[in-house]
Amino acid sequence: MKIFTVFFYVVSFVAIIAEAFQYFTVGLGLEYVFMIPLIFVSGLLSAFLPALIRLPVIATGLQGLANWFILMAIGIGMVYAYVYIRDQPETILRASFYMESGLDIEFRANGTYKAINNGMGGASAHYGSYAQSGAYFITDNRLYLGRSRLRDTLIRDSNQLHFRLGQPFRGINAGIMWISAEE
């Protein structure tokens, strides 16, 4: 019976971490339609299974549910702390490109960036590093617009960042990201 309890705790924990990371980085997307029921069902199942740790102040029938709530709170706290620490460095440049898919990039003072890929099904966040050499922003070559990878060099020109794609995406080979904020 303990194996089932551990299984449902792990499923809940992984699901809450994935959903909390999505929520804290880009907001709720379409995946919450699948993740919230998974968290809810695995929570209900683990509430009726034997508890792994006995808490003396909780009624016996609620031990499993109390364990589950504590585990979920720990998961959400870990993700919040991780995202909070990752987003601490000062943003020096923020640029965006939108069409069918979108890309927002925040370049940070410590040589890191946060990129948010937006699409019709939701959004995802990616963290990476970059180096700046004059008007050139050289990234770690892990930025995407839709399914096409951006080449690693973005070129700044007044209030724009010029980019090129490795392969065309929806007829786009290159484009301009508009700088929306500069610190």
Side-chain angles (χ1 to χ4, degrees), residues 106-127:
E106 295 177 357
F107 291 99
R108 309 265 170 75
N110 67 348
T112 63
Y113 66 82
K114 177 182 177 181
I116 299 174
N117 295 4
N118 298 297
M120 298 197 52
S124 62
H126 168 74
Y127 293 90

Side-chain angles (χ1 to χ4, degrees), residues 86-114:
R86 291 291 303 256
D87 288 346
Q88 278 301 303
E90 178 186 358
T91 300
I92 59 170
L93 187 71
R94 188 174 288 130
S96 304
F97 178 83
Y98 285 96
M99 199 171 139
E100 195 172 295
S101 293
L103 178 64
D104 294 311
I105 303 176
E106 295 177 357
F107 291 99
R108 309 265 170 75
N110 67 348
T112 63
Y113 66 82
K114 177 182 177 181

Side-chain angles (χ1 to χ4, degrees), residues 1-10 42 45-46 49-50 52:
M1 223 32 163
K2 296 273 187 185
I3 288 178
F4 290 115
T5 304
V6 170
F7 174 76
F8 287 117
Y9 282 173
V10 169
S42 62
L45 291 172
S46 63
L49 292 172
L52 293 179

